[in-house]
Amino acid sequence: MSALLQELVQSVSCTVLTDPTDFDRYPEDDSEATPELPLAVLLAESTQDVSAALAWANRHGVKVSVRGAGSGLAGGAVAYAGGLVLSVEKMTSLSLDPLARLAVVGAGVITADLDRAAQEHGLFFPPDPASAAISTVGGNIATNAGGLRCLAHGVTADSVVALEVVLADGSVIHTGARTAKNVTGLNLTQLFVGSEGTLGVITQATVRLKPVPEGEPATFSAHFDSFEEATDTIIAIASSQEKPESLELVDAETATMIEKHHSRGLTIPKAAIVMGKTTGPRALEQAQAFAQRCAQGGAIETAALPGLDLMETRRLVHSATIAEGYLVFGDTGVPLEKLSLFVAKIRELEAEYGRKVTISAHAGDGNLHPAVYSADGEEGQAQAHELLDRIGLEALKLGGTVTGEHGIGSLKMQGMLEQLSPATLAAQRAIKAALDPNNILTPGRAV
């Protein structure tokens, strides 16, 4: 072992993997980004481990990639050549304060595990990414993840009240407060939310919980022969005073793939399925009303049922599309009123490239996840990425964004350059330089 690695191993009290045969999937994430061979993988178990590791990396100019569960789709966690992979997956402390409706969680806590623990006290954790069963709270905060419940409860940032963060030099800071009001100093909490590991490593978070609504939840679905009718109906529902908790969309191709690989009993529409979730004492009544509104909007088949089975079906989109070779994933967002136009633009580009694009969406907030077929070799992958970049540009033309919840990572840097002005980029990079002057934390990504 080199003297450099010996210094790292001696400075921490956790496992440090130095043999590449032991690295397993730690250098990767779930994106198409290609990892390089790191010098080591550190499995941090405490804030002290993270602090010592970053101090070491800062002294020696070692690039650091930060990893939770590796479920990211933007290439933000893949390893650097000769770098350090810093995993927080073992940092799983969890304590609840039901009276204050708060939880204090380690960065490695799985999102669904936090939600289950909260529900034992009649509470729940509002952020609900489709990857909740595998993604970590720290990773959700680092990317400001969204998910299925955004329409009613907002994104991850809306549930974070305080953070413990280790800066690039190893120093530890605490942001925010447990109080309902706090205007002491700058709002550093929201600075680190969504920073994708570029400004510091989040090791612990204090997050808000909400009471579980009374009664049994319900879901509704509607099959459309016309994509325009589907998106127009989504706009009408999402713009109404009474909204569902979730309002999702999958196109016919995606529904076919889910049924092929998971046998959920879906009837395949000509264009798309709109589905949603309602909660509270009137959940089933509301679901029936939304299903009726879909019928009025042109749906040819509707249903409203108690329970959450339909929402679990929606979570199968990713695995089903991957199984069919749709490996390049988008994360664009547009203003809700532009939803129909944006889908039409995607279909135009699909025809132009002659390459299939599937569409699933957190449609109630205008966040679309187009997936492009790319299992036909390197040339096909390159064309798929080019097509996805074009889709991102169309979103920008409509006043949207190149990423709604997955983050920039390493795969969407060009899209960020298109979206942000030079002055805005300079301001972001000035903050990065102030907090990480040696540029060791996730360099060349996200900012």
Side-chain angles (χ1 to χ4, degrees), residues 357-399:
V357 179
T358 65
I359 296 175
S360 60
H362 306 308
D365 52 44
N367 183 196
L368 271 69
H369 295 308
V372 186
Y373 182 79
S374 56
D376 52 350
E378 292 185 9
E379 184 177 347
Q381 287 187 8
Q383 189 181 60
H385 281 287
E386 180 183 321
L387 171 53
L388 196 62
D389 288 342
R390 290 279 302 279
I391 290 173
L393 290 177
E394 290 298 332
L396 295 182
K397 292 177 184 177
L398 297 174

CSV table of all heavy atoms in Angstrom, one decimal, residues 357-399:
chain,number,residue,atom,x,y,z
A,357,VAL,N,-38.8,7.0,-28.4
A,357,VAL,CA,-38.7,7.8,-27.2
A,357,VAL,C,-40.0,7.4,-26.4
A,357,VAL,O,-41.1,7.6,-26.9
A,357,VAL,CB,-38.6,9.3,-27.4
A,357,VAL,CG1,-38.6,10.0,-26.0
A,357,VAL,CG2,-37.4,9.7,-28.2
A,358,THR,N,-39.8,6.9,-25.2
A,358,THR,CA,-41.0,6.7,-24.3
A,358,THR,C,-41.1,7.9,-23.4
A,358,THR,O,-40.1,8.6,-23.1
A,358,THR,CB,-40.8,5.5,-23.5
A,358,THR,OG1,-39.7,5.6,-22.6
A,358,THR,CG2,-40.6,4.2,-24.4
A,359,ILE,N,-42.3,8.2,-22.9
A,359,ILE,CA,-42.6,9.3,-22.0
A,359,ILE,C,-43.3,8.8,-20.8
A,359,ILE,O,-44.4,8.2,-20.9
A,359,ILE,CB,-43.4,10.4,-22.7
A,359,ILE,CG1,-42.6,11.0,-23.9
A,359,ILE,CG2,-43.8,11.5,-21.7
A,359,ILE,CD1,-43.4,12.0,-24.7
A,360,SER,N,-42.7,9.1,-19.6
A,360,SER,CA,-43.5,9.0,-18.4
A,360,SER,C,-43.3,10.4,-17.7
A,360,SER,O,-42.4,11.1,-18.1
A,360,SER,CB,-42.9,7.9,-17.5
A,360,SER,OG,-41.5,8.1,-17.2
A,361,ALA,N,-44.1,10.7,-16.8
A,361,ALA,CA,-44.1,12.0,-16.2
A,361,ALA,C,-44.7,12.2,-14.9
A,361,ALA,O,-45.7,11.5,-14.6
A,361,ALA,CB,-44.8,13.0,-17.2
A,362,HIS,N,-44.1,13.0,-14.0
A,362,HIS,CA,-44.9,13.6,-12.9
A,362,HIS,C,-45.6,14.8,-13.5
A,362,HIS,O,-45.3,15.9,-13.4
A,362,HIS,CB,-43.9,14.1,-11.8
A,362,HIS,CG,-42.9,13.0,-11.4
A,362,HIS,ND1,-43.3,11.8,-11.0
A,362,HIS,CD2,-41.6,13.0,-11.3
A,362,HIS,CE1,-42.3,11.0,-10.6
A,362,HIS,NE2,-41.2,11.7,-10.8
A,363,ALA,N,-46.7,14.4,-14.2
A,363,ALA,CA,-47.3,15.3,-15.2
A,363,ALA,C,-47.9,16.5,-14.5
A,363,ALA,O,-48.0,17.6,-15.1
A,363,ALA,CB,-48.3,14.6,-16.0
A,364,GLY,N,-48.4,16.4,-13.3
A,364,GLY,CA,-49.1,17.4,-12.6
A,364,GLY,C,-48.2,18.6,-12.3
A,364,GLY,O,-48.7,19.8,-12.1
A,365,ASP,N,-46.9,18.5,-12.3
A,365,ASP,CA,-46.0,19.6,-12.2
A,365,ASP,C,-45.1,19.8,-13.4
A,365,ASP,O,-44.1,20.5,-13.3
A,365,ASP,CB,-45.1,19.5,-10.9
A,365,ASP,CG,-44.4,18.2,-10.8
A,365,ASP,OD1,-43.8,17.8,-11.8
A,365,ASP,OD2,-44.3,17.6,-9.7
A,366,GLY,N,-45.5,19.2,-14.5
A,366,GLY,CA,-44.8,19.5,-15.8
A,366,GLY,C,-43.4,18.8,-15.9
A,366,GLY,O,-42.6,19.2,-16.8
A,367,ASN,N,-43.1,17.8,-15.1
A,367,ASN,CA,-41.8,17.2,-15.1
A,367,ASN,C,-41.9,15.9,-15.9
A,367,ASN,O,-42.4,14.9,-15.5
A,367,ASN,CB,-41.4,16.9,-13.6
A,367,ASN,CG,-40.0,16.3,-13.5
A,367,ASN,OD1,-39.6,15.8,-12.5
A,367,ASN,ND2,-39.1,16.4,-14.5
A,368,LEU,N,-41.3,15.9,-17.1
A,368,LEU,CA,-41.3,14.7,-18.0
A,368,LEU,C,-40.0,14.0,-18.0
A,368,LEU,O,-38.9,14.6,-17.9
A,368,LEU,CB,-41.6,15.2,-19.4
A,368,LEU,CG,-43.1,15.2,-19.8
A,368,LEU,CD1,-43.7,16.4,-19.1
A,368,LEU,CD2,-43.2,15.4,-21.3
A,369,HIS,N,-40.1,12.6,-18.1
A,369,HIS,CA,-38.9,11.8,-18.1
A,369,HIS,C,-38.9,11.0,-19.4
A,369,HIS,O,-39.3,9.8,-19.5
A,369,HIS,CB,-38.9,10.8,-16.9
A,369,HIS,CG,-38.8,11.4,-15.6
A,369,HIS,ND1,-37.8,12.3,-15.3
A,369,HIS,CD2,-39.5,11.4,-14.5
A,369,HIS,CE1,-37.9,12.8,-14.1
A,369,HIS,NE2,-39.0,12.2,-13.6
A,370,PRO,N,-38.5,11.6,-20.5
A,370,PRO,CA,-38.4,10.9,-21.8
A,370,PRO,C,-37.2,9.9,-21.7
A,370,PRO,O,-36.2,10.2,-21.1
A,370,PRO,CB,-38.1,11.9,-22.8
A,370,PRO,CG,-37.5,13.1,-22.0
A,370,PRO,CD,-38.2,13.0,-20.7
A,371,ALA,N,-37.4,8.7,-22.2
A,371,ALA,CA,-36.3,7.7,-22.2
A,371,ALA,C,-36.1,7.3,-23.7
A,371,ALA,O,-37.0,7.0,-24.4
A,371,ALA,CB,-36.7,6.5,-21.4
A,372,VAL,N,-34.8,7.3,-24.1
A,372,VAL,CA,-34.5,7.1,-25.5
A,372,VAL,C,-33.9,5.7,-25.7
A,372,VAL,O,-33.0,5.3,-24.9
A,372,VAL,CB,-33.5,8.1,-26.0
A,372,VAL,CG1,-33.3,8.0,-27.5
A,372,VAL,CG2,-34.0,9.5,-25.7
A,373,TYR,N,-34.3,4.9,-26.7
A,373,TYR,CA,-33.7,3.6,-27.0
A,373,TYR,C,-32.3,3.8,-27.4
A,373,TYR,O,-31.9,4.6,-28.2
A,373,TYR,CB,-34.5,2.9,-28.1
A,373,TYR,CG,-34.0,1.5,-28.4
A,373,TYR,CD1,-34.3,0.5,-27.6
A,373,TYR,CD2,-33.1,1.3,-29.4
A,373,TYR,CE1,-33.8,-0.8,-27.8
A,373,TYR,CE2,-32.6,0.1,-29.7
A,373,TYR,CZ,-32.9,-1.0,-28.9
A,373,TYR,OH,-32.4,-2.2,-29.1
A,374,SER,N,-31.4,3.0,-26.7
A,374,SER,CA,-30.0,3.2,-27.0
A,374,SER,C,-29.2,1.9,-26.8
A,374,SER,O,-28.0,1.9,-26.6
A,374,SER,CB,-29.4,4.2,-26.0
A,374,SER,OG,-29.7,3.8,-24.7
A,375,ALA,N,-29.9,0.7,-27.0
A,375,ALA,CA,-29.2,-0.6,-26.8
A,375,ALA,C,-28.7,-1.1,-28.2
A,375,ALA,O,-28.6,-2.3,-28.4
A,375,ALA,CB,-30.1,-1.6,-26.2
A,376,ASP,N,-28.3,-0.2,-29.1
A,376,ASP,CA,-27.8,-0.6,-30.4
A,376,ASP,C,-26.4,-0.2,-30.7
A,376,ASP,O,-26.0,0.3,-31.8
A,376,ASP,CB,-28.8,-0.2,-31.5
A,376,ASP,CG,-29.0,1.3,-31.4
A,376,ASP,OD1,-28.7,2.0,-30.4
A,376,ASP,OD2,-29.7,1.8,-32.4
A,377,GLY,N,-25.5,-0.2,-29.6
A,377,GLY,CA,-24.1,0.1,-29.8
A,377,GLY,C,-23.7,1.5,-29.5
A,377,GLY,O,-24.6,2.3,-29.2
A,378,GLU,N,-22.5,1.8,-29.7
A,378,GLU,CA,-21.9,3.1,-29.3
A,378,GLU,C,-22.5,4.2,-30.2
A,378,GLU,O,-22.8,5.3,-29.7
A,378,GLU,CB,-20.4,3.1,-29.4
A,378,GLU,CG,-19.7,2.3,-28.4
A,378,GLU,CD,-18.2,2.4,-28.5
A,378,GLU,OE1,-17.7,3.3,-29.2
A,378,GLU,OE2,-17.5,1.7,-27.8
A,379,GLU,N,-22.7,4.0,-31.5
A,379,GLU,CA,-23.3,5.0,-32.3
A,379,GLU,C,-24.7,5.3,-32.0
A,379,GLU,O,-25.1,6.4,-31.9
A,379,GLU,CB,-23.2,4.5,-33.8
A,379,GLU,CG,-23.7,5.5,-34.8
A,379,GLU,CD,-23.6,5.1,-36.2
A,379,GLU,OE1,-22.9,4.1,-36.5
A,379,GLU,OE2,-24.1,5.8,-37.1
A,380,GLY,N,-25.4,4.3,-31.6
A,380,GLY,CA,-26.8,4.4,-31.1
A,380,GLY,C,-26.9,5.2,-29.9
A,380,GLY,O,-27.8,6.1,-29.7
A,381,GLN,N,-26.0,4.9,-28.9
A,381,GLN,CA,-26.0,5.7,-27.7
A,381,GLN,C,-25.6,7.1,-27.9
A,381,GLN,O,-26.3,8.0,-27.3
A,381,GLN,CB,-24.9,5.1,-26.7
A,381,GLN,CG,-25.3,3.8,-26.1
A,381,GLN,CD,-24.4,3.3,-25.0
A,381,GLN,OE1,-23.5,4.0,-24.7
A,381,GLN,NE2,-24.6,2.1,-24.6
A,382,ALA,N,-24.7,7.4,-28.8
A,382,ALA,CA,-24.3,8.8,-29.1
A,382,ALA,C,-25.5,9.5,-29.7
A,382,ALA,O,-25.8,10.7,-29.3
A,382,ALA,CB,-23.1,8.8,-30.0
A,383,GLN,N,-26.2,8.9,-30.6
A,383,GLN,CA,-27.4,9.5,-31.2
A,383,GLN,C,-28.5,9.7,-30.2
A,383,GLN,O,-29.2,10.7,-30.2
A,383,GLN,CB,-27.9,8.6,-32.4
A,383,GLN,CG,-29.0,9.3,-33.2
A,383,GLN,CD,-29.5,8.5,-34.3
A,383,GLN,OE1,-30.0,7.4,-34.1
A,383,GLN,NE2,-29.3,8.9,-35.5
A,384,ALA,N,-28.7,8.8,-29.3
A,384,ALA,CA,-29.7,8.9,-28.2
A,384,ALA,C,-29.4,10.1,-27.3
A,384,ALA,O,-30.3,10.9,-27.0
A,384,ALA,CB,-29.8,7.6,-27.4
A,385,HIS,N,-28.1,10.3,-27.0
A,385,HIS,CA,-27.8,11.4,-26.1
A,385,HIS,C,-28.0,12.7,-26.9
A,385,HIS,O,-28.4,13.7,-26.3
A,385,HIS,CB,-26.3,11.3,-25.7
A,385,HIS,CG,-26.1,10.4,-24.5
A,385,HIS,ND1,-26.5,10.7,-23.2
A,385,HIS,CD2,-25.6,9.1,-24.4
A,385,HIS,CE1,-26.2,9.7,-22.4
A,385,HIS,NE2,-25.7,8.7,-23.1
A,386,GLU,N,-27.7,12.7,-28.2
A,386,GLU,CA,-27.9,13.9,-29.0
A,386,GLU,C,-29.4,14.3,-29.0
A,386,GLU,O,-29.8,15.4,-28.9
A,386,GLU,CB,-27.4,13.7,-30.4
A,386,GLU,CG,-27.6,14.9,-31.3
A,386,GLU,CD,-27.1,14.6,-32.7
A,386,GLU,OE1,-26.1,14.0,-32.9
A,386,GLU,OE2,-27.8,15.1,-33.7
A,387,LEU,N,-30.2,13.2,-29.2
A,387,LEU,CA,-31.7,13.4,-29.2
A,387,LEU,C,-32.1,14.0,-27.9
A,387,LEU,O,-33.0,14.9,-27.9
A,387,LEU,CB,-32.4,12.1,-29.6
A,387,LEU,CG,-33.9,12.1,-29.4
A,387,LEU,CD1,-34.6,13.2,-30.2
A,387,LEU,CD2,-34.4,10.7,-29.9
A,388,LEU,N,-31.6,13.4,-26.8
A,388,LEU,CA,-32.0,13.9,-25.5
A,388,LEU,C,-31.6,15.4,-25.3
A,388,LEU,O,-32.4,16.2,-24.7
A,388,LEU,CB,-31.5,13.0,-24.4
A,388,LEU,CG,-32.1,13.1,-23.0
A,388,LEU,CD1,-33.6,12.8,-23.1
A,388,LEU,CD2,-31.4,12.3,-22.0
A,389,ASP,N,-30.5,15.7,-25.8
A,389,ASP,CA,-30.0,17.1,-25.7
A,389,ASP,C,-31.0,18.0,-26.4
A,389,ASP,O,-31.3,19.1,-26.0
A,389,ASP,CB,-28.6,17.3,-26.2
A,389,ASP,CG,-27.5,16.7,-25.3
A,389,ASP,OD1,-27.8,16.4,-24.1
A,389,ASP,OD2,-26.4,16.4,-25.8
A,390,ARG,N,-31.4,17.6,-27.6
A,390,ARG,CA,-32.4,18.4,-28.4
A,390,ARG,C,-33.7,18.5,-27.6
A,390,ARG,O,-34.3,19.6,-27.7
A,390,ARG,CB,-32.6,17.7,-29.7
A,390,ARG,CG,-31.5,17.7,-30.7
A,390,ARG,CD,-31.4,19.0,-31.5
A,390,ARG,NE,-32.6,19.3,-32.2
A,390,ARG,CZ,-32.9,18.9,-33.4
A,390,ARG,NH1,-32.1,18.0,-34.0
A,390,ARG,NH2,-34.0,19.2,-34.0
A,391,ILE,N,-34.1,17.5,-27.0
A,391,ILE,CA,-35.3,17.6,-26.2
A,391,ILE,C,-35.2,18.6,-25.1
A,391,ILE,O,-36.1,19.4,-24.8
A,391,ILE,CB,-35.7,16.2,-25.6
A,391,ILE,CG1,-36.2,15.2,-26.7
A,391,ILE,CG2,-36.8,16.3,-24.5
A,391,ILE,CD1,-36.4,13.8,-26.3
A,392,GLY,N,-34.0,18.6,-24.4
A,392,GLY,CA,-33.7,19.6,-23.4
A,392,GLY,C,-33.8,21.0,-23.9
A,392,GLY,O,-34.3,21.9,-23.3
A,393,LEU,N,-33.2,21.2,-25.1
A,393,LEU,CA,-33.3,22.6,-25.7
A,393,LEU,C,-34.7,23.0,-26.0
A,393,LEU,O,-35.1,24.2,-25.9
A,393,LEU,CB,-32.5,22.6,-27.0
A,393,LEU,CG,-30.9,22.5,-26.8
A,393,LEU,CD1,-30.3,22.4,-28.2
A,393,LEU,CD2,-30.4,23.7,-26.0
A,394,GLU,N,-35.6,22.1,-26.4
A,394,GLU,CA,-37.0,22.4,-26.7
A,394,GLU,C,-37.7,22.8,-25.4
A,394,GLU,O,-38.5,23.7,-25.4
A,394,GLU,CB,-37.7,21.2,-27.3
A,394,GLU,CG,-37.3,20.9,-28.7
A,394,GLU,CD,-37.6,22.1,-29.7
A,394,GLU,OE1,-38.5,22.8,-29.4
A,394,GLU,OE2,-36.9,22.2,-30.7
A,395,ALA,N,-37.3,22.1,-24.3
A,395,ALA,CA,-37.9,22.5,-23.0
A,395,ALA,C,-37.5,24.0,-22.6
A,395,ALA,O,-38.3,24.7,-22.1
A,395,ALA,CB,-37.4,21.6,-21.9
A,396,LEU,N,-36.2,24.3,-22.9
A,396,LEU,CA,-35.8,25.7,-22.6
A,396,LEU,C,-36.5,26.7,-23.5
A,396,LEU,O,-36.9,27.8,-23.0
A,396,LEU,CB,-34.3,25.8,-22.9
A,396,LEU,CG,-33.3,25.0,-22.0
A,396,LEU,CD1,-31.9,25.3,-22.3
A,396,LEU,CD2,-33.6,25.3,-20.5
A,397,LYS,N,-36.8,26.4,-24.7
A,397,LYS,CA,-37.5,27.3,-25.6
A,397,LYS,C,-38.9,27.6,-25.0
A,397,LYS,O,-39.5,28.6,-25.3
A,397,LYS,CB,-37.6,26.7,-27.0
A,397,LYS,CG,-36.3,26.7,-27.7
A,397,LYS,CD,-36.5,26.0,-29.1
A,397,LYS,CE,-35.2,25.9,-29.8
A,397,LYS,NZ,-35.3,25.2,-31.1
A,398,LEU,N,-39.4,26.6,-24.3
A,398,LEU,CA,-40.8,26.8,-23.7
A,398,LEU,C,-40.8,27.3,-22.3
A,398,LEU,O,-41.8,27.3,-21.6
A,398,LEU,CB,-41.5,25.4,-23.8
A,398,LEU,CG,-41.7,24.8,-25.1
A,398,LEU,CD1,-42.3,23.4,-25.0
A,398,LEU,CD2,-42.7,25.7,-26.0
A,399,GLY,N,-39.6,27.8,-21.9
A,399,GLY,CA,-39.5,28.4,-20.6
A,399,GLY,C,-39.3,27.4,-19.5
A,399,GLY,O,-39.5,27.6,-18.3
